[in-house]
């Protein structure tokens, strides 16, 4: 009996061992081995690399087709551009990729939004007209009317000039002419007066920006010695119109200070003797009160900006450079001393425009390809 029990026990043990071996074998079959998993990873990685390579090749060929299509369109449309009832030769300003607006066949170049320029011109003209009608006529001094008229004319001429001139637009480059290897380098370093300056690559204009150049998002152009995009003139302020901008600020300050002083004098004479004071002035002469308040606000605004730009001229920095603290750690390579900085900003000859917007368009032209000299 004991022998039979032991045999049964051995048989059950053998059967359980056999079942365990079968389970292990099935587990080996179901689960991949380490070598199988590593080979699978290699296959997945290779397929991923091949997919990325194919995607890059596809995108590159698609971009080349887009550039080719653009050139074909330009070559077919460059010859003539319809203007009125006649056909005229297509010029650069017809195809300029920036957001600028051109007038008088490319002779005047403005920013994309003229609302600020129009409001500024209306505010100056309306202030001068109100002063002539309600203030100067009461003082009855012809010299005051003549002086205010001259100042108004000078301010408006400066306003028109600073908002219709090329601020220093840098010519663009054709992406198809730039080597792909060079495009990978996002910046270059040049040495100016012993200080290293980084030149960033502009992805929109496809150029390495010259020193002190920045791309204006509003006008969609790279501007040399970019100061800021002024909403009051609706245009960029850069190398070629910065002097005009400072002149506009100073002459505007003189005009509104002149208006404010004589408006206060007129209000003093018009004060009612019944003790009503300001309420009596508002009832009897609201135009002069409004003109006095507006001229005071404009005078403070222009005085602040004028002092700030005089300071920037003295240290030879732009508003953009000063706001972003460009030379805190490295020092300013353009600082030549206060007198030389003022002479450079106000007395140096104005450089010519880098882009001839009235030039005839040639086949293959794109954005005014030009060599950029770095000073």
């Amino acid at each position: 009996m004991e022998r039979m029990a032991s045999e049964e026990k051995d048989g059950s043990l053998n059967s359980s061992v056999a079942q365990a071996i079968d389970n292990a074998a099935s587990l080996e079959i179901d689960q991949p081995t380490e070598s199988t998993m590593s080979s699978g990873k290699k296959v997945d990685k290779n397929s991923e690399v091949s997919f990325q390579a194919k995607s890059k090749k596809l995108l590159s060929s698609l971009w080349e087709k887009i550039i080719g299509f653009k050139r074909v369109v330009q070559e077919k449309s460059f010859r003539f551009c319809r203007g009125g009832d006649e056909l005229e030769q297509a010029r650069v300003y017809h195809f300029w990729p920036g957001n600028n607006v051109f007038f008088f066949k490319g002779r005047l170049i403005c920013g994309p939004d003229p609302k600020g320029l129009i409001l500024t011109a209306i505010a100056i003209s309306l202030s001068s007209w109100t002063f002539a009608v309600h203030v100067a006529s009461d003082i009855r001094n012809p010299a005051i009317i003549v002086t205010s008229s001259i100042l108004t004319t000078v301010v408006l001429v400066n306003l028109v000039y600073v908002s219709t001139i090329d601020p220093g637009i840098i010519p663009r480059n054709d992406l198809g002419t730039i080597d792909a290897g060079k495009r990978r380098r996002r910046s270059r370093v040049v040495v100016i007066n012993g200080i290293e300056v980084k030149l960033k690559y502009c992805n929109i204009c496809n150029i390495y920006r010259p020193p002190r150049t920045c791309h204006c998002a509003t006008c969609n152009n790279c501007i040399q010695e970019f100061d800021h995009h002024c909403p009051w003139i609706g245009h960029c302020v850069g190398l070629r119109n910065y002097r005009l901008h400072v002149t506009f600020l100073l002459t505007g300050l003189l005009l509104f200070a002149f208006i404010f002083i004589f408006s206060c004098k007129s209000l003093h004479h018009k004060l009612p003797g019944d003790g009503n004071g300001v309420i009596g002035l508002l009832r009897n002469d609201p135009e002069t009160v409004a003109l006095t308040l507006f001229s005071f606000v404009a005078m403070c605004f222009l005085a602040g900006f004028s002092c700030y730009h005089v300071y920037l001229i003295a240290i030879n920095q732009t508003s953009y450079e000063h706001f972003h603290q460009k030379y805190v750690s490295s020092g300013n390579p353009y600082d030549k001393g206060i007198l030389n900085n003022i002479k450079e900003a106000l007395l140096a000859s104005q450089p010519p425009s880098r882009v001839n917007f009235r030039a005839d368009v040639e086949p293959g032209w794109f954005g005014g390809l030009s060599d950029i000299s770095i000073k």
Side-chain angles (χ1 to χ4, degrees), residues 24-95:
S26 65
L27 222 86
E28 273 185 357
I29 294 170
D30 292 341
Q31 292 185 355
T33 61
E34 188 177 344
S35 61
T36 308
M37 289 176 67
S38 62
S39 63
K41 286 181 180 178
K42 287 180 182 178
V43 171
D44 292 340
K45 191 175 287 185
N46 291 334
S47 62
E48 186 179 350
V49 170
S50 63
F51 176 74
Q52 290 179 354
K54 288 180 181 178
S55 301
K56 287 182 180 179
K57 188 175 181 181
L58 180 64
L59 290 174
S60 178
S61 63
L62 181 62
W63 182 250
E64 288 177 0
K65 288 180 181 179
I66 292 173
I67 293 294
F69 177 74
K70 182 181 285 188
R71 284 176 173 171
V72 169
V73 171
Q74 287 177 349
E75 287 179 5
K76 287 189 177 295
S77 61
F78 89 99
R79 290 183 178 278
F80 296 101
C81 182
R82 184 170 295 276
D85 297 330
E86 298 180 355
L87 291 172
E88 67 169 320
Q89 176 70 34
R91 301 185 185 276
V92 170
Y93 72 91
H94 289 133
F95 300 97

Side-chain angles (χ1 to χ4, degrees), residues 163-184:
S163 58
T164 57
I165 191 176
D166 173 15
I169 297 174
I170 300 294
R172 301 194 178 203
N173 203 347
D174 189 350
L175 187 62
T177 64
I178 300 178
D179 183 43
K182 293 181 179 179
R183 268 204 307 273
R184 294 192 190 99

Side-chain angles (χ1 to χ4, degrees), residues 28-209:
E28 273 185 357
I29 294 170
D30 292 341
Q31 292 185 355
T33 61
E34 188 177 344
S35 61
T36 308
M37 289 176 67
S38 62
S39 63
K41 286 181 180 178
K42 287 180 182 178
V43 171
D44 292 340
K45 191 175 287 185
N46 291 334
S47 62
E48 186 179 350
V49 170
S50 63
F51 176 74
Q52 290 179 354
K54 288 180 181 178
S55 301
K56 287 182 180 179
K57 188 175 181 181
L58 180 64
L59 290 174
S60 178
S61 63
L62 181 62
W63 182 250
E64 288 177 0
K65 288 180 181 179
I66 292 173
I67 293 294
F69 177 74
K70 182 181 285 188
R71 284 176 173 171
V72 169
V73 171
Q74 287 177 349
E75 287 179 5
K76 287 189 177 295
S77 61
F78 89 99
R79 290 183 178 278
F80 296 101
C81 182
R82 184 170 295 276
D85 297 330
E86 298 180 355
L87 291 172
E88 67 169 320
Q89 176 70 34
R91 301 185 185 276
V92 170
Y93 72 91
H94 289 133
F95 300 97
W96 184 252
N99 298 332
N100 303 92
V101 181
F102 298 88
F103 297 97
F104 297 101
K105 297 184 177 182
R107 290 181 176 88
L108 303 181
I109 173 172
C110 301
D113 189 5
K115 289 196 290 290
L117 171 62
I118 294 171
L119 289 175
T120 303
I122 290 174
I124 294 171
S125 302
L126 190 60
S127 299
S128 181
W129 178 82
T130 305
F131 178 80
V133 172
H134 295 278
V135 177
S137 59
D138 292 338
I139 298 176
R140 296 179 182 179
N141 189 342
I144 294 176
I145 298 178
V146 171
T147 305
S148 66
S149 300
I150 292 174
L151 285 174
T152 303
T153 303
V154 171
V155 172
L156 289 176
V157 168
N158 269 282
L159 174 63
V160 173
Y161 199 13
V162 74
S163 58
T164 57
I165 191 176
D166 173 15
I169 297 174
I170 300 294
R172 301 194 178 203
N173 203 347
D174 189 350
L175 187 62
T177 64
I178 300 178
D179 183 43
K182 293 181 179 179
R183 268 204 307 273
R184 294 192 190 99
R185 296 175 57 189
R186 309 317 299 169
S187 63
R188 291 177 177 173
V189 176
V190 296
V191 178
I192 300 176
N193 295 328
I195 298 176
E196 290 187 351
V197 177
K198 184 182 289 186
L199 307 183
K200 292 184 178 180
Y201 185 81
C202 180
N203 293 314
I204 299 175
C205 299
N206 303 306
I207 59 170
Y208 286 98
R209 299 171 188 163

Side-chain angles (χ1 to χ4, degrees), residues 206-233:
N206 303 306
I207 59 170
Y208 286 98
R209 299 171 188 163
R212 315 188 84 176
T213 299
C214 181
H215 190 93
C216 175
T218 306
C219 294
N220 195 25
N221 292 310
C222 276
I223 308 296
Q224 191 172 8
E225 288 193 24
F226 177 79
D227 191 86
H228 68 288
H229 183 91
C230 182
W232 304 109
I233 65 174

Side-chain angles (χ1 to χ4, degrees), residues 4 10 18 30 74-75 104 116 118 121 151 166 172 185 249 260 270 277 291 295 324 334 338 341:
M4 289 176 66
D10 292 339
D30 292 341
Q74 287 177 349
E75 287 179 5
F104 297 101
I118 294 171
L151 285 174
D166 173 15
R172 301 194 178 203
R185 296 175 57 189
L249 290 177
F260 176 73
K270 291 179 181 178
L291 177 64
S295 60
H324 291 275
Y334 309 103
I338 295 177
N341 291 339

